[in-house]
């Protein structure tokens, strides 16, 4: 016959099998299971007549008198209907301007600026080293202006020669000459545009 004690014994054995961990130690669940009191017998009677001599009214009154009063949370009212909001989260408390680092540049911004400055210095050093290795020369402002004026003068001469062409291009030499002058003017216009666009120009030494 399966009694309550036999059932608890079987249940405990079943739990023991499934509560073994990797180190072989039994789980804490078995200990809690064994500490559960047994079911009282039908003939057992509860203890009656136990009374406490503690005065709960006086104890509660003493706790209230000796306890620290709870401070109310600051609130704000922004409508005439009396809607209340916590003052701390309302944005009306100037707590951020009282911080020690208020108004100072954040550390990550300073770090980023230093990285950008260091990268620019490295790039400038690389350009100088590259120019030194390739033996390139920088045109001065006077040389650049002189070169620009020379290109414009050449364009005017080619354009003047182009204007002197006949209206009728009926022969092959005339057609070839016109195409050659147009190509020269186009190349001169491109060179003039490049020099006017860039203030700093490097040329390779021969």
């Amino acid at each position: 016959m399966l009694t309550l004690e036999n059932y608890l014994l079987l249940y405990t054995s079943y739990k023991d099998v499934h509560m073994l961990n990797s180190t072989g130690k039994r789980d804490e669940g078995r200990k809690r299971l064994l500490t559960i009191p047994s079911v009282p017998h039908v003939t057992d009677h509860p203890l009656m007549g136990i009374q406490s001599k503690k005065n709960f009214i006086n104890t509660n009154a003493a706790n209230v008198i000796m306890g620290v009063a709870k401070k109310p949370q600051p609130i704000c009212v922004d409508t005439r209907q009396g809607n209340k909001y916590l003052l701390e989260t309302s944005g009306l408390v100037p707590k951020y301007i009282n911080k020690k680092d208020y108004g100072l540049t954040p550390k990550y911004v300073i770090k980023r600026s230093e990285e950008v400055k260091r990268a620019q210095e490295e790039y400038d050093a690389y350009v100088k080293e590259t120019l030194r290795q390739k033996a390139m020369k920088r045109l001065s402002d006077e040389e650049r202006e002189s070169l620009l004026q020379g290109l414009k003068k050449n364009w005017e001469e080619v354009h003047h020669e182009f204007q002197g062409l006949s209206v009728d291009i009926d022969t092959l030499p005339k057609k070839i000459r016109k195409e050659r002058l147009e190509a020269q003017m186009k190349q001169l216009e491109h060179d003039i545009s490049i020099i006017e666009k860039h203030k700093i120009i490097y040329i390779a030494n021969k």
Side-chain angles (χ1 to χ4, degrees):
M1 182 177 180
L2 182 61
T3 61
L4 180 61
E5 288 77 10
N6 295 335
Y7 174 77
L8 290 177
L9 181 61
L10 291 175
Y11 180 76
T12 304
S13 301
Y14 175 78
K15 294 290 289 186
D16 291 344
V17 174
H18 291 79
M19 289 183 181
L20 289 175
N21 53 22
S22 58
T23 59
K25 296 182 180 180
R26 301 188 185 278
D27 193 78
E28 294 293 335
R30 181 176 179 274
K31 296 181 180 181
R32 292 194 297 269
L33 182 62
L34 296 177
T35 57
I36 297 176
S38 60
V39 180
H41 198 266
V42 66
T43 59
D44 293 341
H45 298 283
L47 298 178
M48 305 294 292
I50 299 177
Q51 297 182 358
S52 176
K53 297 181 180 181
K54 182 178 180 180
N55 191 335
F56 292 95
I57 297 178
N58 295 338
T59 303
N60 294 338
N63 293 336
V64 172
I65 295 173
M66 301 300 296
V68 180
K70 184 179 179 180
K71 295 183 179 180
Q73 291 183 340
I75 59 174
C76 64
V77 179
D78 59 351
T79 62
R80 60 182 181 180
Q81 285 78 15
N83 295 332
K84 299 178 181 180
Y85 301 94
L86 292 178
L87 186 62
E88 182 69 19
T89 59
S90 64
L92 302 177
V93 181
K95 57 181 180 180
Y96 294 104
I97 63 175
N98 295 328
K99 290 187 175 181
K100 295 181 180 180
D101 57 350
Y102 178 78
L104 301 178
T105 304
K107 295 182 179 180
Y108 72 92
V109 175
I110 298 176
K111 182 179 179 181
R112 179 60 179 170
S113 300
E114 293 177 352
E115 292 177 354
V116 172
K117 183 179 180 181
R118 182 168 58 254
Q120 184 65 34
E121 293 176 353
E122 293 177 357
Y123 175 75
D124 294 340
Y126 169 76
V127 171
K128 291 181 180 179
E129 181 64 20
T130 304
L131 295 177
R132 186 186 65 82
Q133 294 177 359
K134 295 183 178 180
M136 300 187 71
K137 175 185 177 182
R138 175 181 174 180
L139 288 180
S140 62
D141 296 339
E142 292 78 9
E143 293 174 341
R144 174 180 173 277
E145 185 65 25
S146 176
L147 178 61
L148 184 61
Q149 295 300 327
L151 291 174
K152 290 182 178 180
K153 184 178 180 181
N154 293 340
W155 183 88
E156 292 177 356
E157 293 177 355
V158 175
H159 184 263
H160 179 72
E161 185 178 355
F162 181 81
Q163 293 293 329
L165 293 176
S166 60
V167 178
D168 295 331
I169 308 298
D170 51 356
T171 61
L172 183 59
K174 292 182 179 181
K175 183 178 180 181
I176 295 176
R177 183 183 180 188
K178 178 183 178 182
E179 292 178 354
R180 178 175 58 82
L181 294 176
E182 288 177 347
Q184 290 180 359
M185 287 192 299
K186 185 176 181 180
Q187 183 62 39
L188 289 171
E189 290 173 357
H190 178 266
D191 296 340
I192 292 172
S193 175
I194 292 296
I195 295 177
E196 289 180 344
K197 182 178 180 181
H198 299 86
K199 302 297 182 181
I200 301 177
I201 300 175
Y202 291 92
I203 59 175
N205 294 331
K206 295 182 180 181

